[in-house]
Amino acid sequence: MRFLIQIAAVALLAMAAGSALAHNCPNEMKAIDAKLATHPALTADNAAKVKQLRAEGEAQHKAGKHDDSMKSLAQAKKILGI
């Protein structure tokens, strides 16, 4: 019986961790916004690309496509150097 409780607890924690990661998009967007607020030295093309990727990430997040959102936001963060 104790073993089943431990397995259930581990399964519950694993699901909670997955859910938390899937909804980390807002934190990623906040990090991008904070960096953009510092007016980083970017080329016009890179600045436009970051803004485009950030907007795509937000739209994907709102559509429930969290994996796609995280990919878009990760690309924007890479350009920004964060």
Side-chain angles (χ1 to χ4, degrees):
M1 181 68 171
R2 176 172 261 176
F3 181 70
L4 291 176
I5 292 172
Q6 289 175 337
I7 289 177
V10 169
L12 181 63
L13 288 172
M15 287 187 292
S19 176
L21 290 175
H23 296 96
N24 197 38
C25 309
N27 291 330
E28 299 296 310
M29 288 184 274
K30 286 178 187 175
I32 292 167
D33 293 342
K35 184 68 173 185
L36 287 173
T38 66
H39 306 289
L42 295 172
T43 65
D45 288 341
N46 279 345
K49 186 69 173 172
V50 166
K51 290 176 184 178
Q52 175 191 0
L53 288 166
R54 200 274 188 213
E56 287 175 9
E58 183 172 5
Q60 292 161 333
H61 170 72
K62 288 180 179 179
K65 298 177 181 179
H66 299 290
D67 289 339
D68 293 338
S69 175
M70 292 298 288
K71 288 178 187 174
S72 296
L73 297 172
Q75 289 177 6
K77 286 177 67 176
K78 183 177 179 181
I79 295 169
L80 288 169
I82 55 174

